[in-house]
Amino acid sequence: MLHFQPVHRASDLQVVHFEALARMVDDEGSKHLIAPAAFIAHAERRGSVRQIDRWVFEACVQQLAAAEASVNIAANLSARSLEDPSFTPFLQQQLQGHGVEPQRLHIEVTETSAISDPQEACALINALRVLGCTVHLDDFGSGFSSFAHLKLLQVDTIKIDGSFVRGLCTDSSSRLFVASMIEIAHQLGKTVIAEHVEDAATMDILRELEVDMVQGFHLSRPFEPLNRSLQPVAAAVLH
Ligand code: G
Ligand code: MN
């Protein structure tokens, strides 16, 4: 199933879009949900992760079709689909079939998955942008030579890895890294999201460093959509 977590504009905390987060339901009767970290690597080994990706993206397009036109959703694409040239035509067909503007769908690609085959990743990222989708570079800073990847991959947005954001208040090197990431991304004309914002003090530092968007437990937790339009739920989460 999908949960959705709001991503807010840093200046006024307005919801800009929602990130779709996959959860696996344990049908052995327990109410326990299994997080992607616990099943995606396994699905990759079993060769079923492309099917999961397609299910996630189809569900997101359906949510977009049912929601107001101002609602945008970001969904995560795994490394295996980044190597799949038929993913873009699949997505185009889904968007057209449901009458959804491609601009409302954002695609998150992690830095480490994009770098296992950079040429293929570049080709898919470019094809998705030609289609009209926005592409985010997720977990930015977690790989080696992140800035080199930023030069290579034509993404619209970087998402600073939560490990740097969680250390912002206590660790001066995290602050230095985050400041540099924001500065360079802005110089390159890219938007910056900070994930895993867990308290007000971190939020203050991020505002000072002029981050564009924020996501994390301090602002809103992932939620299960209660109705087919995400908009009223977002308002409820914010207040
Ligand atoms: O790094 P990535 O964006 O893939 O992490 C997504 C996961 O992190 C989601 O499963 C979500 O539940 C969780 N998450 C969302 N907000 C926060 C937060 O503020 N802190 C932490 N530790 N985890 C978060
Ligand atoms: Mn993500």
Side-chain angles (χ1 to χ4, degrees), residues 64-105:
L64 285 169
E68 290 175 32
S70 60
V71 172
N72 294 345
I73 294 178
N76 296 282
L77 191 67
S78 74
R80 291 284 85 77
S81 294
L82 260 183
E83 298 160 355
D84 176 9
S86 68
F87 183 77
T88 312
F90 159 80
L91 197 58
Q92 184 167 26
Q93 194 188 7
Q94 289 296 324
L95 290 162
Q96 270 173 2
H98 288 89
V100 171
E101 289 285 334
Q103 286 73 11
R104 297 175 61 204
L105 184 65

Side-chain angles (χ1 to χ4, degrees), residues 16-30:
V16 188
H17 65 265
F18 300 86
E19 181 178 3
L21 299 163
R23 298 319 186 214
M24 206 166 129
V25 184
D26 177 2
D27 52 341
E28 306 262 280
S30 126

Side-chain angles (χ1 to χ4, degrees), residues 2-94:
L2 290 179
H3 280 186
F4 292 88
Q5 186 177 30
V7 176
H8 305 258
R9 191 157 63 199
S11 54
D12 59 3
L13 300 189
Q14 273 242 42
V15 176
V16 188
H17 65 265
F18 300 86
E19 181 178 3
L21 299 163
R23 298 319 186 214
M24 206 166 129
V25 184
D26 177 2
D27 52 341
E28 306 262 280
S30 126
K31 285 239 184 300
H32 183 66
L33 292 176
I34 304 159
F39 67 82
I40 293 294
H42 187 66
E44 279 183 340
R45 281 193 298 275
R46 299 249 321 190
S48 53
V49 76
R50 284 186 182 182
Q51 274 167 276
I52 296 178
D53 280 358
R54 289 189 182 216
W55 180 84
V56 166
F57 275 87
E58 188 175 350
C60 287
V61 172
Q62 282 169 0
Q63 284 282 347
L64 285 169
E68 290 175 32
S70 60
V71 172
N72 294 345
I73 294 178
N76 296 282
L77 191 67
S78 74
R80 291 284 85 77
S81 294
L82 260 183
E83 298 160 355
D84 176 9
S86 68
F87 183 77
T88 312
F90 159 80
L91 197 58
Q92 184 167 26
Q93 194 188 7
Q94 289 296 324

